[in-house]
Amino acid sequence: MKKIILTAIAVCAFGFANAQDMKFGIKGGLDMVTLSANGGSDSASGFFFGGFADFDMSDQIKIQPGLNYHTASKYGINYSFLSIPVLAKYNVSDKLNLLAGPSLYYSMISEDTEKTRFSLGVGGSYDITDELFVESRYDIGLTGDLKVSHFLIGLGYKL
């Protein structure tokens, strides 16, 4: 898994080296997890936190890769994930943005037989100031027998 994470970070770093403008930041918030398998589902709530980079591709389009830690629990069962989202960010207006893109989730639960899962996220963000923003995103699980989806609501700060 370390090789996957390092490869993803290297691809993001080298792939966006020609970007016009780049900012880094941190974000965190509420993570509502839904686990679905064989027609049934269960949910848990927790939190996430992590960092991101914001690369300007044009006046209206940015690419936002990140690395986040997620944790949730229910009935004494803890769920922990690392995620690497790569989001396209489209500026609808000066303050409002649409987000979409894939995420790689890695389960940190030792009993989990499917450690790596992919999801597709859609959402939006609102810039409160030039540095502070709120974000909401839904990541729907695409792979694995156990589909894991995340509804994320958070606050971020651009450094």
Side-chain angles (χ1 to χ4, degrees), residues 79-98:
Y79 305 100
S80 296
F81 303 92
L82 285 178
S83 71
I84 303 173
V86 180
L87 302 172
K89 183 176 177 181
Y90 178 75
N91 295 348
V92 176
S93 68
D94 286 341
K95 304 256 183 203
L96 187 62
N97 308 288
L98 297 176

Side-chain angles (χ1 to χ4, degrees), residues 101-105 117-121 139-143 148-150:
S103 293
L104 170 87
Y105 280 86
R117 293 182 175 87
F118 290 94
S119 68
L120 183 61
D139 282 357
I140 185 166
L142 299 175
T143 60
V148 182
S149 299
H150 298 260

Side-chain angles (χ1 to χ4, degrees), residues 49-118:
F49 64 89
F52 65 91
D54 210 29
F55 298 97
D56 285 350
M57 302 308 283
S58 72
D59 289 340
Q60 289 185 300
I61 299 173
K62 297 180 182 193
I63 301 296
Q64 192 179 81
L67 178 62
N68 301 305
Y69 173 75
H70 303 253
T71 185
S73 64
K74 186 171 183 179
Y75 306 125
I77 300 171
N78 294 320
Y79 305 100
S80 296
F81 303 92
L82 285 178
S83 71
I84 303 173
V86 180
L87 302 172
K89 183 176 177 181
Y90 178 75
N91 295 348
V92 176
S93 68
D94 286 341
K95 304 256 183 203
L96 187 62
N97 308 288
L98 297 176
L99 304 167
S103 293
L104 170 87
Y105 280 86
Y106 178 75
S107 175
M108 298 177 68
I109 303 168
S110 60
E111 298 84 25
D112 196 346
T113 57
E114 299 174 45
K115 291 286 192 185
T116 306
R117 293 182 175 87
F118 290 94

Side-chain angles (χ1 to χ4, degrees), residues 1-2 9 13 24 27-28 32 38 42 47 51 58 77 80 83 93 97 103-104 112 114 124 130 135-136 141 144:
M1 184 58 204
K2 289 179 186 177
I9 290 170
F24 293 96
K27 61 181 162 181
M32 292 172 274
N38 302 325
D42 197 7
F47 66 91
S58 72
I77 300 171
S80 296
S83 71
S93 68
N97 308 288
S103 293
L104 170 87
D112 196 346
E114 299 174 45
D130 286 343
E135 179 179 297
S136 177

